[in-house]
Structure formats: C-alpha cells, structure tokens
Amino acid sequence: MNKKQSGIIVTLVLLIVVTGYLATKVNGPLYVNDTDFGNDKSAISLKQSKNSSTYFTEAILTRNQDNARTLQTIKGLIDDANTPKEQKDAAAAQYLSISVATQNESDIELAIKAQGFEEALCSIVDDKVDVLVKTAKKELSQEELRAIQDVVMSKTKLENIVVSIKE
C-alpha cells in the first residue's frame, strides 16, 4: 500500500467517524427500554431527556461511545501492517492523547462530584476544558469556581477553563 492509498483510507475512516457523530447529534441517542421487552414492539426506542440528570447521563454515555469508536478506529489503523510508519506514529500519538483526555475527564467529573455537586460533565478539546455542573444555584460562588478550576488544573495543567451551570 502506498502513501496515496493510505491517505485515502485515513480520510474515509475520518469521514465515517464524523458521519456517525453527526448522525448521533441529529437523530439523538438510542436507548433500550426495559418495559418494551414484554410487548411485541421493538426494544429500541427514542427517549427525550426530561431532566438534567438524564441529560448528564446521556451526554457521558454518548461521549464514551464516541471515544470508544474513535479509539477502535485508530487501533485498527495502528495494527494494520500496510500502514506507513509515519501514520502509525501519528495514530499512536492521537490514541494516547484521546485516552489521556478521556481518563482526565472522568477523574475531573468524580472530583467535582466529591465537592458536593450532584452531577458534572467535563469535555477536554485541545487546550480548552469545558465543565458543566448541576446545581440549583443561578451562579457559582468564587470559592466553588476556584475549587473547580483547581481540580481541572491539577489533572490537566490547562488554564483555559469554562465552567457552566445546568439547573
């Protein structure tokens, strides 16, 4: 396999990943309803999120599924014997980056929940960290905001942190 063919394959894989991501965003996530098993209907149905706890659960589930698919695609590229060394090195670096970011997101969410917030959602993209917390307050105190920022900075060493509230 030459460089041109490898480039085409990588481009197609990326298009598939982006298409899957966009399809999930447009169509919404699919869920299995336990109550549907007794009926003759399909066990898969669409649910609309009614409360913020469901929102956090859905967002984390979707993020984890997207990350798993992306990592699986990258792993396939790394394991392919026909992939050039330069592409394997780049894919390995991307795999490591996504793995570390995923672990950091989970660690940050757990640490924020330990601070007393009911729910937390963290997203790390490049050098920016977005944190969404569930609280009944309209605004976080300076101490709460500083505590969240300290957690993020201790895990990621990133300073571009945006904290948002979802009631």
Side-chain angles (χ1 to χ4, degrees), residues 13-147:
V13 168
L14 289 173
L15 285 173
I16 291 170
V17 170
V18 169
T19 303
Y21 175 77
L22 291 174
T24 302
K25 288 296 182 186
V26 170
N27 296 330
L30 293 174
Y31 294 94
V32 176
N33 283 341
D34 294 335
T35 57
D36 286 344
F37 287 114
N39 302 335
D40 289 351
K41 299 177 184 175
S42 171
I44 297 177
S45 65
L46 290 173
K47 278 186 159 180
Q48 298 295 324
S49 64
K50 301 259 186 214
N51 62 35
S52 59
S53 291
T54 304
Y55 170 81
F56 282 92
T57 304
E58 290 173 359
I60 290 170
L61 178 65
T62 301
R63 179 193 67 203
N64 291 344
Q65 289 174 342
D66 289 344
N67 285 341
R69 272 185 255 138
T70 303
L71 290 174
Q72 183 178 10
T73 302
I74 294 170
K75 180 108 172 88
L77 188 63
I78 292 170
D79 292 342
D80 186 0
N82 296 324
T83 304
K85 183 176 179 358
E86 301 86 32
Q87 283 185 333
K88 282 187 180 186
D89 293 343
Q94 185 180 14
Y95 188 91
L96 179 63
S97 174
I98 292 171
S99 297
V100 168
T102 301
Q103 184 61 46
N104 285 341
E105 288 169 347
S106 296
D107 291 346
I108 290 168
E109 290 167 359
L110 288 173
I112 291 172
K113 287 180 186 178
Q115 290 179 350
F117 291 98
E118 187 176 334
E119 294 286 345
L121 178 63
C122 178
S123 175
I124 301 172
V125 179
D126 297 328
D127 63 342
K128 182 179 179 188
V129 181
D130 289 317
V131 177
L132 181 65
V133 294
K134 180 181 179 185
T135 182
K137 300 177 185 179
K138 297 282 183 193
E139 192 173 307
L140 295 175
S141 70
Q142 287 298 321
E143 295 156 357
E144 291 172 323
L145 189 57
R146 194 173 309 113

